[in-house]
Amino acid sequence: MDTITEPLRPEPIRFDTKIAVLLRADLEPWQRLNATSFLVSGLGTRLPEVIGEPYEDADGVPYLPMFRQPVMVFEATKETLTTAHARALSRALPRALFTSDLFSTGNDRDNRAAVRAVPTAELDLVGLAVHGPKNAVDKVVKGARMHP
């Protein structure tokens, strides 16, 4: 009698790091999308290890690489976001920020100037992206909830 064996399945890919985006809960939908796209772009520029391989479809058309792991998106109150920012700073985690002032600027130079004009403790944060070990990122976003 032949033994039927199941084909070997590759082990699931597990990550010891996490990418998280934390958004202020009172943002309009367009603001959430805008802030999220800017925030995650910052991580990819400084952390090449989070970027996977380029994509290609069955016809050989190439596409740009993306993050190699999921991005978890959370929402929180302004106070929780401020606390998360302080936690990310205290843990020296790679981070990107988005302040309310950036919704009224129209270019990168003005964005940087708007952030530079405000002391850390007075930043009107509407978004924060962090990357790091899972447990450290979990501690940063503690008190936030998954984005609906």
Side-chain angles (χ1 to χ4, degrees):
M1 182 163 99
D2 292 333
T3 304
I4 299 175
T5 59
E6 287 188 35
L8 291 177
R9 294 186 183 168
E11 289 291 318
I13 297 174
R14 305 222 188 273
F15 300 99
D16 57 356
T17 60
K18 190 176 214 174
I19 297 171
V21 172
L22 181 56
L23 301 170
R24 207 165 72 192
D26 63 350
L27 297 179
E28 294 293 325
W30 74 267
Q31 292 173 316
R32 290 171 186 249
L33 295 170
N34 183 263
T36 300
S37 63
F38 273 91
L39 287 165
V40 296
S41 72
L43 293 179
T45 61
R46 292 290 182 169
L47 303 165
E49 67 273 16
V50 301
I51 304 296
E53 296 296 319
Y55 287 74
E56 184 177 293
D57 66 25
D59 293 323
V61 177
Y63 301 93
L64 295 172
M66 297 184 282
F67 288 131
R68 64 183 185 89
Q69 66 188 95
V71 176
M72 308 306 293
V73 181
F74 299 86
E75 70 173 8
T77 63
K78 182 176 183 173
E79 295 76 21
T80 299
L81 186 56
T82 299
T83 300
H85 180 243
R87 290 174 183 155
L89 292 173
S90 73
R91 289 171 172 77
L93 293 176
R95 64 210 165 265
L97 84 162
F98 200 98
T99 66
S100 63
D101 295 328
L102 303 187
F103 290 126
S104 62
T105 59
N107 62 73
D108 187 50
R109 181 191 66 228
D110 292 342
N111 286 351
R112 288 192 318 278
V115 172
R116 186 181 309 273
V118 181
T120 305
E122 296 175 25
L123 291 168
D124 186 16
L125 296 170
V126 298
L128 178 70
V130 295
H131 173 264
K134 281 183 180 181
N135 62 346
V137 172
D138 287 343
K139 289 176 183 173
V140 167
V141 300
K142 184 178 180 182
R145 65 175 192 221
M146 289 296 294
H147 192 284

